Amino acid sequence: MKPRALIITTAGINCDRELAEAFELAGAEPVSIHLNRLTADPTIVDDFELVGLPGGFSYGDAVAAGRIAAQVMRSGLYDAFCRALDRGVPMIAPCNGFQIAVQIGLLPGPRDEEPVSDRPPVPTVALADNESARFIDLWVGIEVPSDTRCIWTRGLDMSPETAVLPIAHGEGRFIASPEQLGELERMQCVAVRYLASDNPNGSVGHVAGICDRSGLVFGLMPHPERYTRWTSHPIWTRLDASRMDVEPPGLQMFRNAVDHVREHAAEAAACDAR
């Protein structure tokens, strides 16, 4: 059976179809459900093996980017998200989804040494206005730390020409204290970086995306769901054909998560059989 992927939609979200298609291309069955329905019945989340928080401008990004959607989810869905993580459910949060996940408290998430609590942790990082104070829409070079614990970005097969992702945001500058950034690096929670020569928004440490300590929750400002076909690459007609023998990096990320779910299910089935 195909693992089911929950796509959470609400007013202002506009990247849900791209996210759903990325999951589908990777072998999952996407299902889009409105946030209102989920907060009315959070147990719906329990029926899914993957979760996606799409990009866009949720609730018009009133107050701040992702702020309203985050507060709704923080009060109504945090426990459901925790149950999902306990089951090993991978979650992805591109762009507005990243802004939301940080404010919910899913990223960077609670520290290992923190006592178990039914209250979401206080956010310790933020996504602020771009250094240019302008909306940016372009493709940027990326690199993935070799030691990252993120299950979405480990082992990506990329060349310098294909290691790019599209961005489209006005509030994407990753901010963290030196201590927090150091902890993220020590815990191998930096999942993807902009190239030092191609940092589009002034993010500290060139951080483009992070994961939580489980490696399951992945938030990033670029849009991997928009890079699931080679024809999406800005100069794909000039790429060497050998570069396109593998799947585009965006699709590889979703494939990693779907494969993780299947492996997890196979291990569980094997344990049950014993």
Side-chain angles (χ1 to χ4, degrees):
M1 292 179 63
K2 291 183 176 181
R4 302 177 76 221
L6 170 63
I7 312 296
I8 301 177
T9 65
T10 194
I13 290 296
N14 61 19
C15 298
D16 50 316
R17 291 189 178 182
E18 291 96 329
L19 195 59
E21 183 178 32
F23 274 120
E24 188 170 23
L25 289 172
E29 178 188 350
V31 180
S32 296
I33 299 180
H34 197 281
L35 178 56
N36 289 354
R37 182 181 167 197
L38 293 172
T39 54
D41 183 7
T43 62
I44 292 173
V45 178
D46 300 339
D47 297 330
F48 291 86
E49 291 78 41
L50 296 148
V51 173
L53 300 177
F57 304 91
S58 57
Y59 299 101
D61 280 347
V63 187
R67 179 69 55 83
I68 296 175
Q71 294 309 309
V72 173
M73 295 185 199
R74 188 176 169 90
S75 61
L77 290 180
Y78 183 77
D79 289 346
F81 288 146
C82 289
R83 291 197 304 273
L85 290 175
D86 287 342
R87 291 188 290 115
V89 173
M91 302 182 185
I92 190 168
C95 201
N96 199 228
F98 189 14
Q99 296 159 343
I100 292 169
V102 162
Q103 295 177 76
I104 292 174
L106 289 174
L107 290 170
R111 298 179 179 180
D112 291 338
E113 66 271 17
E114 288 181 344
V116 176
S117 171
D118 57 359
R119 298 186 63 184
V122 175
T124 55
V125 301
L127 285 310
D129 289 344
N130 296 340
E131 212 166 45
S132 65
R134 295 183 177 182
F135 184 89
I136 304 173
D137 182 4
L138 46 77
W139 287 70
V140 296
I142 61 162
E143 59 184 7
V144 175
S146 59
D147 61 349
T148 183
R149 68 172 61 198
C150 180
I151 63 107
W152 295 81
T153 60
R154 278 190 305 219
L156 296 188
D157 190 346
M158 304 183 295
S159 66
E161 296 88 350
T162 62
V164 292
L165 285 175
I167 62 168
H169 58 253
E171 297 180 43
R173 178 166 53 99
F174 182 79
I175 293 179
S177 68
E179 294 77 17
Q180 180 64 51
L181 179 60
E183 183 174 5
L184 288 171
E185 292 172 338
R186 286 192 300 275
M187 296 302 296
Q188 303 172 330
C189 289
V190 176
V192 61
R193 281 190 168 96
Y194 303 112
L195 295 182
S197 60
D198 204 8
N199 185 335
N201 49 36
S203 292
V204 298
H206 311 300
V207 173
I210 62 174
C211 68
D212 71 336
R213 284 163 176 72
S214 72
L216 295 171
V217 185
F218 175 36
L220 73 168
M221 286 312 299
H223 287 271
E225 75 278 13
R226 296 180 182 177
Y227 190 17
T228 57
R229 292 181 172 85
W230 283 116
T231 50
S232 298
H233 190 285
I235 57 168
W236 75 274
T237 57
R238 285 176 276 167
L239 289 177
D240 188 291
S242 64
R243 303 294 189 204
M244 297 182 279
D245 288 341
V246 297
E247 292 177 331
L251 182 54
Q252 289 182 47
M253 293 182 189
F254 288 89
R255 184 82 64 189
N256 279 348
V258 171
D259 287 348
H260 176 86
V261 169
R262 287 175 171 158
E263 291 166 7
H264 190 73
E267 291 171 2
C271 288
D272 290 342
R274 289 197 294 267

